[in-house]
Amino acid sequence: MSQAARRVVVVGGGLAGLAAATVLAERGVEVVLIEKERYLGGRAGSWNDRLADGTRFQMERGFHGFFRQYKNLRALMRRVDPGLSSLKPLDDYPLLGPGGASQSFSKLPTTPILNIAELIRRSPSIRLLDLMKADLPRAGAMLAFDLERTYLELDGSSAKVFLDGLRFPPEARRMLFEVFAHSFFNPEDDYSAAELLAMFHYYFTRNPDGLVFDVMRDPFGVVLFEPLERYLRELGVRFAMGSSARAISRGADGRWRVEVEHNGDLALAEAGLERDGRGVYTRGDAVVLATTVPALRGIAAASPHMAKIAESIQSLDVTSPFAVWRLWLDKPCRADRAPFAGTAGLGILDNISLYERFEGESRRWAERTGGSVVELHAYAVPAQMSELEIRADLERGLHEAYPETREARVVEERFMLRQDCPSFRPGSHALRPTVETQLEGVKLAGDFVKLPFPSALMERATSSGFIAANQLLERWGRRGVAVEHGPTKGILPAALARFA
């Protein structure tokens, strides 16, 4: 079979699947992409909606920060936005606490050690006496990250146990570490300490780009995923939207068959699908499974040919639910409020976004009405909380952080409670699957996979998609793309830190 005739089925149209599809299609591989939603982007996607007054807008599953060390995500975006004009830089994102407490991350030095020293110096919640009481050798583990040893030593322990052992004063612990841990959707007591240290290493101690980030100037669908879909269609990628993969199997010819549950109005041939006596399907020389964890577990359970990797896949799980509540208010927030602010100690509220401060769609609505578009997030929401309790808690947090919102009337709202983000529980690393699998021609991609370097969230998803495509291309004697990443070791030798 010629190289140009190779065909790959990509299951999942989030960042991981799109990254894999992009690289493969650019190298002349025929790609069929299966996506259960009617829009692309996965958890970063956006879809059409309408306010009661008729205003059209695109709703999303919540605010996303585009950190500047997300090199692979930015490389994907440059396919349709070479100058990254869709991104707007933020100068700072303050961290707000009870009683008006505030912590800034703006203009921190990017040099390791100096960035930590400056953060501690400007933190009102830490005194010299507090540092003298802290477990400094234990804190050294945060500067001595080692990809192999840290997971070996600390993956079995929780982030809460590790952070408690630092003996930082409660307010400093809350302001500096609690919000950081929650940013990965996992609760501290059910989150691997090794994963926490990997994230601290990736986002802070070995990040030359600093902790500030960029935001999208317009909804993700408008400026990223719709242009990327057009780009991929021009490369010949076929999309089976509103469709789900149920199972995969390998035929005697070595090709993979993907069973598909599709929406009734789908033109099968145009989407690269066929029908036979067993149902609707598509075939490929390889498959990239870039789904959510629940979908991947379902496919594996229904696919006897995946038995070799079933244990690692079934070891995956989702973490606690997360809530997104977007409010259209009839009054503006104070002019000096930041476009985005993290919060700690204000109930379950984790951050506040003022969409009209950075997104054109919301800005136009605010200019026309004089109001504000406010979005509230809560990560790692306790499972026992009802929607009514979540709303009340978020409202209390907003009113404490931004008292002026007490006088505002909610004109419109959208509330979402989802539970499909990957869990990184203590002890999960050893079984966590990698992009490479024991099945020839089957790759995994997503923010749940184990990578050979620290990464997370949108960047981990994109990186895994690039790696999946590269591995297939290498097998077929074709060149892949560069996959950038930061250092895999901290600034201190591991021998100087106490990991236990």
Side-chain angles (χ1 to χ4, degrees), residues 24 31 56 89 146 152 172 187 226-227 261 284 327 344 367 452 456 472 476 490:
L24 291 167
V31 176
R56 296 177 182 272
D146 178 276
L152 182 65
E226 290 170 13
E261 182 177 347
L327 304 169
E367 289 173 346
L472 292 174
W476 297 327

Side-chain angles (χ1 to χ4, degrees), residues 404-474:
E404 67 272 20
T405 59
R406 297 177 188 272
E407 309 303 321
R409 180 175 63 89
V410 177
V411 177
E412 192 112 14
E413 64 174 308
R414 295 292 185 275
F415 180 87
M416 289 179 287
L417 187 64
R418 300 288 187 269
Q419 190 173 11
D420 56 10
C421 293
S423 167
F424 293 90
R425 291 197 172 105
S428 64
H429 185 75
L431 272 179
R432 187 171 301 279
T434 61
V435 173
E436 183 71 83
T437 76
Q438 295 174 278
L439 301 178
E440 184 179 354
V442 176
K443 308 295 179 184
L444 304 181
D447 59 354
F448 58 85
V449 299
K450 185 191 309 183
L451 295 182
F453 49 81
S455 188
L457 304 175
M458 294 190 292
E459 179 70 355
R460 180 179 278 176
T462 307
S463 300
S464 69
F466 281 176
I467 292 172
N470 283 352
Q471 289 179 357
L472 292 174
L473 291 169
E474 181 180 8

Side-chain angles (χ1 to χ4, degrees), residues 360-378:
E361 190 176 77
S362 296
R363 182 175 62 253
R364 290 187 290 274
W365 182 88
E367 289 173 346
R368 187 175 75 252
T369 64
S372 182
V373 184
V374 180
E375 189 171 277
L376 311 177
H377 289 188

Side-chain angles (χ1 to χ4, degrees), residues 47-205:
W47 58 92
N48 294 322
D49 202 339
R50 188 192 296 264
L51 298 177
D53 65 3
T55 301
R56 296 177 182 272
F57 74 101
Q58 286 208 355
M59 187 60 194
E60 302 160 352
R61 287 179 38 141
F63 173 91
H64 288 70
F66 291 74
F67 285 85
R68 290 161 195 173
Q69 78 268 33
Y70 286 2
K71 306 300 183 185
N72 297 310
L73 174 59
R74 288 167 184 257
L76 178 65
M77 294 173 63
R78 289 185 192 277
R79 264 69 172 192
V80 295
D81 183 10
L84 298 180
S85 59
S86 59
L87 294 181
K88 174 185 174 63
L90 293 187
D91 296 329
D92 189 17
Y93 63 98
L95 180 59
L96 309 178
S102 180
Q103 175 78 57
S104 171
F105 296 100
S106 177
K107 298 179 181 178
L108 286 174
T110 56
T111 304
I113 298 293
L114 293 181
N115 54 3
I116 298 173
E118 175 60 16
L119 180 64
I120 291 175
R121 186 196 67 79
R122 68 168 67 170
S123 174
S125 57
I126 300 180
R127 302 167 301 169
L128 180 60
L129 181 60
D130 296 324
L131 291 177
M132 295 175 64
K133 294 178 180 178
D135 186 339
L136 296 182
R138 189 180 186 87
M142 306 184 78
L143 304 178
F145 175 79
D146 178 276
L147 191 63
E148 182 175 348
R149 184 180 175 192
T150 299
Y151 280 98
L152 182 65
E153 298 285 346
L154 283 176
D155 190 56
S157 181
S158 74
K160 182 180 187 304
V161 168
F162 181 85
L163 293 174
D164 286 347
L166 289 175
R167 298 201 300 267
F168 269 51
E171 184 180 354
R173 183 191 187 288
R174 181 176 63 232
M175 294 293 284
L176 295 178
F177 297 116
E178 183 177 302
V179 68
F180 185 78
H182 267 215
S183 296
F184 306 101
F185 299 91
N186 285 246
E188 282 184 13
D189 59 355
D190 201 27
Y191 186 44
S192 160
E195 190 70 16
L196 175 71
L197 265 63
M199 296 303 96
F200 193 76
H201 167 94
Y202 176 62
Y203 282 94
F204 190 46
T205 60

